[in-house]
């Protein structure tokens, strides 16, 4: 099945470019999502992204990595035959956000007419995998999330920082708290 070259349908009612990473950050912290969207502190974020890419390629060297659709979603790799999209993560510290990132990929594919996919989250350092599915309630939640993200990133300032456990591991820690 060819994933590229499909017609882009205007199913995301916003000019905001909503990526899987942006959805994951929105789930974690709205301030983080705003800062990421506007490219603030991107250098540190880029290091983490590069580390994630390295882990994915090291752990699964036979796969063709970084499957980019419309510059909107970038999946670690796709098994088109079995209809599985794969995403590799370093740790489970943000597993809820990881799930929503993969659900967003499934949603995006579905809206392009690529139905019947499921997701697989891989944590190679922990030797764990988790299957991810998209249901009707998830679709409603993702569509609400898209609207909220569009509103959020059009605000002139980021939301005020609120201390939470994940702040200690966040790329924006010094920006928010030092
Ligand atoms: S350091 Fe905390 S408040 Fe600041 S962006 Fe990260 S998670 Fe959000």
């Amino acid at each position: 099945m060819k994933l590229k070259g499909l017609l882009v349908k205007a199913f995301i009612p916003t000019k905001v470019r909503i990526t899987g990473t942006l959805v994951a950050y929105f789930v974690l912290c709205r301030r983080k999502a705003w800062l990421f969207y506007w490219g603030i502190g991107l250098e540190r974020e880029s290091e983490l992204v590069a580390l994630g890419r390295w882990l994915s390629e090291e752990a699964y060297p036979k796969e063709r990595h970084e499957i980019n659709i419309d510059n909107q979603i970038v999946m670690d790799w796709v098994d088109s035959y079995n209809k599985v999209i794969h995403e590799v993560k370093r740790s489970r510290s943000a597993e809820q956000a990881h799930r929503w990132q993969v659900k967003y990929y499934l949603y995006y594919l579905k809206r392009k007419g690529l139905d019947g996919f499921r997701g697989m989250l891989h944590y190679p350092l922990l030797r764990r995998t988790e299957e991810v599915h998209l249901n009707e309630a998830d679709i409603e939640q993702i569509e609400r999330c898209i609207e909220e993200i569009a509103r959020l990133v059009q605000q002139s300032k980021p939301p005020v920082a609120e201390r939470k456990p994940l702040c200690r591991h966040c790329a924006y820690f010094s920006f928010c708290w030092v």
Side-chain angles (χ1 to χ4, degrees):
M1 182 185 298
K2 273 178 103 175
L3 292 177
K4 289 187 176 170
L6 292 163
L7 278 178
V8 179
K9 292 180 188 169
F11 55 84
I12 296 187
T14 165
K15 291 194 175 114
V16 173
R17 182 169 160 259
I18 296 183
T19 63
T21 305
L22 183 58
V23 169
Y25 286 179
F26 180 78
V27 170
L28 289 172
C29 169
R30 290 170 189 222
R31 179 176 169 87
K32 184 176 173 89
W34 191 99
L35 293 170
F36 172 75
Y37 183 82
W38 289 107
I40 296 165
L42 215 53
E43 202 175 296
R44 174 83 179 111
E45 279 299 317
S46 302
E47 284 172 19
L48 295 175
V49 169
L51 184 59
R53 191 178 304 132
W54 174 83
L55 175 63
S56 177
E57 288 170 2
E58 278 291 303
Y60 305 96
K62 292 187 181 153
E63 310 299 340
R64 188 165 74 88
H65 292 266
E66 303 274 299
I67 308 299
N68 184 329
I69 310 286
D70 304 337
N71 266 340
Q72 195 92 15
I73 61 171
V74 182
M75 298 165 286
D76 274 344
W77 80 90
V78 179
D79 174 354
S80 301
Y81 182 78
N82 292 306
K83 291 190 158 187
V84 185
I85 62 174
H86 296 267
E87 185 69 19
V88 179
K89 298 295 182 189
R90 280 175 293 125
S91 82
R92 299 182 81 191
S93 60
E95 58 186 343
Q96 187 72 352
H98 300 159
R99 271 183 217 121
W100 281 106
Q101 181 175 356
V102 173
K103 282 177 190 278
Y104 179 65
Y105 293 159
L106 295 171
Y107 169 84
Y108 197 92
L109 293 182
K110 186 179 176 70
R111 287 292 186 246
K112 286 181 81 72
L114 295 165
D115 224 337
F117 277 77
R118 65 194 157 92
M120 190 69 76
L121 271 168
H122 298 266
Y123 298 93
L125 299 178
L126 306 170
R127 298 177 189 274
R128 297 283 302 261
T129 56
E130 179 185 322
E131 243 181 81
V132 180
H133 296 271
L134 182 76
N135 62 32
E136 287 304 316
D138 295 332
I139 291 172
E140 283 177 24
Q141 189 147 344
I142 287 170
E143 289 179 346
R144 278 198 300 274
C145 176
I146 288 168
E147 286 173 17
E148 284 182 41
I149 290 174
R151 275 199 295 274
L152 170 74
V153 299
Q154 287 172 75
Q155 291 172 11
S156 57
K157 289 192 284 187
V160 173
E162 284 174 23
R163 198 80 179 223
K164 31 184 129 18
L166 69 95
C167 290
R168 283 183 294 123
H169 308 289
C170 178
Y172 298 107
F173 181 84
S174 54
F175 187 85
C176 293
W177 302 111
V178 177

